Amino acid sequence: MYRKQTVERARPLAALIACCLLLAGCPDDDGRAAPAAPETAAFSGTVSFGMPIESFELRVGAFDTPPRTTRIGASGRYEVSALGLTAPAIIGVQDTLYAAATDLSAPAQVTALTHLQLVEVLRDDPVNALRNAVNTRSSSTAVDYAPITAAALARAQARVVSLLRERLAFELPAAVAAADFVATPFSNTPGDPTYDALAALDAALSANGSSLIVLVRDRVRELEPCTRFFVDLRIGGAVSEFCANTRETIADNTAGDAFEYRYTALDGSTLRVRAAGSTVTSVRLDQASGAAYACESAACAGLAISAADADGRRELRFAQLALAAADGSAAATLGGSIGTALPGLPPLDCDGARRPPQPVYVTADDGSISGLCISLSFGNAGARSIYRDLSSGAQRLSIHADDTAAASIGLYRLDNLGRRITDYRCEGSACLGFSAGPLFALPGSLRNREQRLVDTRLSRVGNGSGPASVTVRGTLTVALGIETTPPACALSPPSERLRARVSNETADWDICPPYDLSENGTVRVDRVSALDYGGRYTGGLRYSFENATAIPGSLVVVTTLGVVRRVEYSRGRAISSETGRLDDELMLCDGLACRGAEIDPANAQTGHVLRFAGVLLSEERYDGSAADRQVRLDGALLSAPDCLASGSCP
């Protein structure tokens, strides 16, 4: 056999749901029986869907702490050990209801209200955002605990009360609305104010043709477009927020360091703060409805402005700043913090869902500035890290780096055929102003790195129109994910294994197709068409050798008349949809440059031994320009039989 296929088993979803919701002895995620509740119980609370849920599984997790598991007892009560827990603690029930406790000395309730509270804090469904905190097969450090603070939970509680009033015409009893959703104990029996409120909420959802799942889904859709720049907004009894999709810092020439910080929402509402240094001169909020609110000088005492950082950015900190209504109606109050944009740059809307694009500014030689929303992804090819832009902008960014040193940085675009056209690039030490920070953890990814460009100059490639060079400025956080590693070739005989050594590396990346079915990869052969390689090798045979860690091809060898004409080598997991390979990771030789590569006559099975003795392949970018590396190939591979190319194998 020349192809190995792997089929993974999956538990039927219906069976899994039935197990998790109906059976007290539901196995853990890894198939083992859930551990018994700890003997030492010091952390407790009540769980309720508006009815008791005795025997359901509950887990408590915290940063860098293995989750602990227990079963909900009579009347929805639970207890777990608090030993080693650090606040905030995440409590999850059957991957359905969540709560977060910032005070581990107080009880922690888990209800629909605490779940909705976390939606407001996280701007995401807690089932998605917090699953790893209570999953015994995941790392709790892959969860972002930073947004979960006592102050954030308090603000979110007020928004939940207002949300239920606006969406369901449901008014929580005053005592329940004022009491801490998490820390206030209650009894899971009719007559208890909290229990009755939860039951009434469930009835209100049903009466509106909704459910908790639907309400959470719809709310997350509303919150997703605004994940970073927002402040709480209260007008009368309504609690909402002002969400800034674009930010702009405009110099005010009436004073030396005076600026207007301007924020614009999707609906056209604007928030404008004028200040000289850290002294506020005015704040004005204009809503899309036409309502206007403002304060002047001393009346703006509820706003504090931080000192400028090295880039000139500041933080605006609203402490229930009161803005008087222009028509004399109820005042508006603002709470929370929001950062300012870099001075002198155009407004740029790069906000979005969960992992929004990040702003980068390009300055041309003539001083004109354009903004790009960049979304970098990571792929590695051995020592070379490749950061490729997944945004849909007309101009995109790519960064190639060896550890923290730049190998090349480029701005490129796609032509009408989807081909990459690089317009500007810098190479190696010429990429001044580029730096890469240390690894750090973020939610969902333990390996992240900050890429910083401070007026990094890129020169024009080719003879196209436009300025001779541009400078790029921006700070980008990239999730690195899992690094590609050399394939294991222990089961392949040395006589049928190819050693590949890249010039900037010290380890071989062996190529070993699946001669033994325990290996994972593919050996193929096909005919070269007139559309391939400029029509030079039409009718020749193309032999492909793939490893599981190098898709679409570890090695491609093109032959005609028993002579090796072309060899291509590529590797990696992050394959570009534009180029069909790991972005700009292609080593090749063509024609006479393939010295040392030979193909033996067919053996008894009509396959060939392909031999390589010091064959050097040079790196080539998609635009045809030379890059900075070579790979040396030594060894031999056994090809698939030629009859596969025509489908004539017996």
Side-chain angles (χ1 to χ4, degrees):
M1 294 179 63
Y2 288 92
R3 184 183 298 273
K4 181 190 174 190
Q5 296 180 341
T6 303
V7 179
E8 296 184 355
R9 297 180 185 176
R11 298 178 186 171
L13 180 60
L16 186 61
I17 293 174
C19 170
C20 289
L21 294 181
L22 299 178
L23 299 181
C26 178
D28 205 344
D29 289 344
D30 55 5
R32 298 174 297 177
E39 294 181 1
T40 304
F43 189 67
S44 63
T46 301
V47 182
S48 180
F49 284 96
M51 61 180 179
I53 49 175
E54 183 178 346
S55 81
F56 278 27
E57 184 180 83
L58 178 144
R59 293 178 182 170
V60 178
F63 180 78
D64 206 20
T65 304
R68 54 221 50 199
T69 304
T70 189
R71 294 285 172 187
I72 299 172
S75 300
R77 295 285 299 167
Y78 76 90
E79 289 186 340
V80 295
S81 170
L83 185 64
L85 282 179
T86 56
I90 308 302
I91 308 105
V93 179
Q94 302 288 149
D95 221 4
T96 303
L97 276 187
Y98 280 83
T102 58
D103 181 0
L104 302 186
S105 65
Q109 325 311 319
V110 188
T111 68
L113 295 175
T114 65
H115 194 85
L116 290 170
Q117 183 182 39
L118 280 173
V119 171
E120 298 297 317
V121 171
L122 302 170
R123 312 184 80 77
D124 195 359
D125 189 338
V127 173
N128 299 325
L130 299 178
R131 180 181 285 122
N132 284 338
V134 295
N135 190 331
T136 57
R137 298 183 67 188
S138 301
S139 171
S140 63
T141 56
V143 174
D144 187 9
Y145 297 85
I148 305 173
T149 65
L153 290 171
R155 290 194 299 269
Q157 178 166 327
R159 288 201 295 267
V160 170
V161 173
S162 185
L163 178 73
L164 296 178
R165 181 187 302 122
E166 295 168 5
R167 302 299 167 82
L168 304 176
F170 176 75
E171 192 73 40
L172 275 174
V176 176
D180 189 314
F181 283 172
V182 177
T184 304
F186 71 95
S187 172
N188 232 337
T189 55
D192 181 279
T194 299
Y195 177 86
D196 291 345
L198 292 169
L201 172 58
D202 186 63
L205 287 166
S206 298
N208 282 270
S210 186
S211 66
L212 180 62
I213 293 175
V214 172
L215 181 61
V216 168
R217 180 200 66 194
D218 292 345
R219 182 59 176 155
V220 168
R221 287 175 178 172
E222 294 172 356
L223 295 172
E224 277 183 339
C226 183
T227 57
R228 293 179 293 176
F229 307 118
F230 54 89
V231 290
D232 291 333
L233 172 63
R234 302 186 183 211
I235 302 175
V239 180
S240 59
E241 62 189 17
F242 177 86
C243 173
N245 286 87
T246 65
R247 302 176 300 157
E248 191 173 9
T249 297
I250 304 168
D252 184 344
N253 294 324
T254 61
D257 62 345
F259 292 94
E260 179 177 284
Y261 305 108
R262 185 177 299 172
Y263 303 86
T264 304
L266 281 176
D267 65 0
S269 299
T270 60
L271 174 65
R272 291 179 290 173
V273 175
R274 295 183 65 191
S278 296
T279 302
V280 180
T281 56
S282 68
V283 179
R284 182 178 176 89
L285 172 66
D286 290 287
Q287 293 194 300
S289 63
Y293 306 85
C295 68
E296 299 281 344
S297 301
C300 302
L303 171 59
I305 301 180
S306 72
D309 65 14
D311 293 322
R313 286 176 292 214
R314 297 175 183 266
E315 185 176 54
L316 308 184
R317 299 164 184 163
F318 297 90
Q320 300 308 311
L321 171 67
L323 303 178
D327 62 2
S329 60
T333 60
L334 295 173
S337 299
I338 190 168
T340 65
L342 287 168
L345 296 177
L348 187 61
D349 179 5
C350 289
D351 216 341
R354 296 195 183 99
R355 288 192 180 273
Q358 300 168 83
V360 166
Y361 295 92
V362 179
T363 303
D365 288 343
D366 62 4
S368 60
I369 301 175
S370 60
L372 306 176
C373 292
I374 301 299
S375 181
L376 290 184
S377 68
F378 166 80
N380 84 290
R384 178 63 50 86
S385 296
I386 297 172
Y387 304 93
R388 177 177 165 271
D389 191 356
L390 295 182
S391 68
S392 57
Q395 198 170 42
R396 309 184 189 188
L397 177 72
S398 68
I399 299 174
H400 292 204
D402 295 323
D403 193 20
T404 59
S408 68
I409 300 173
L411 288 173
Y412 69 94
R413 55 190 163 84
L414 302 183
D415 67 9
N416 55 6
L417 297 178
R419 297 173 300 188
R420 273 190 48 181
I421 307 297
T422 301
D423 292 318
Y424 295 92
R425 183 188 296 128
C426 67
E427 303 272 359
S429 60
C431 297
L432 298 175
F434 170 80
S435 61
L439 296 178
F440 63 95
L442 278 180
S445 174
L446 298 180
R447 301 176 64 254
N448 299 269
R449 176 162 277 157
E450 183 180 88
Q451 312 286 336
R452 189 176 178 87
L453 299 101
V454 181
D455 297 331
T456 300
R457 186 167 296 278
L458 311 182
S459 299
R460 170 164 280 285
V461 175
N463 299 316
S465 60
S469 66
V470 297
T471 59
V472 181
R473 185 181 186 89
T475 300
L476 302 165
T477 297
V478 188
L480 302 192
I482 300 173
E483 287 188 324
T484 301
T485 55
C489 294
L491 298 178
S492 296
S495 61
E496 297 176 354
R497 185 166 61 197
L498 190 64
R499 296 181 304 281
R501 173 69 65 87
V502 179
S503 55
N504 68 330
E505 300 176 12
T506 58
D508 292 330
W509 283 57
D510 290 350
I511 301 171
C512 48
Y515 303 116
D516 185 297
L517 290 183
S518 297
E519 297 287 350
N520 192 358
T522 304
V523 180
R524 294 184 301 194
V525 59
D526 65 344
R527 288 282 178 188
V528 178
S529 77
L531 299 177
D532 297 324
Y533 316 116
R536 287 176 295 155
Y537 307 127
T538 303
L541 290 171
R542 175 168 44 205
Y543 301 96
S544 301
F545 306 86
E546 296 179 359
N547 290 124
T549 53
I551 303 170
S554 296
L555 192 77
V556 174
V557 181
V558 177
T559 68
T560 61
L561 302 175
V563 177
V564 175
R565 306 293 185 181
R566 184 180 176 96
V567 181
E568 298 179 354
Y569 170 73
S570 180
R571 63 188 174 187
R573 283 196 178 99
I575 301 302
S576 165
S577 60
E578 301 158 9
T579 64
R581 65 171 191 258
L582 185 65
D583 200 21
D584 284 357
E585 160 71 9
L586 179 66
M587 316 283 190
L588 65 88
C589 67
D590 195 273
L592 295 177
C594 296
R595 288 183 296 272
E598 299 178 350
I599 180 170
D600 287 356
N603 60 20
Q605 287 77 40
T606 70
H608 300 266
V609 174
L610 293 163
R611 303 185 186 278
F612 302 85
V615 179
L616 293 178
L617 314 183
S618 297
E619 186 175 17
E620 182 178 290
R621 296 190 180 92
Y622 181 70
D623 60 12
S625 62
D628 62 337
R629 296 181 298 169
Q630 285 186 321
V631 63
R632 176 185 170 117
L633 302 178
D634 291 280
L637 292 173
L638 179 63
S639 78
D642 293 351
C643 58
L644 289 177
S646 58
S648 59
C649 291

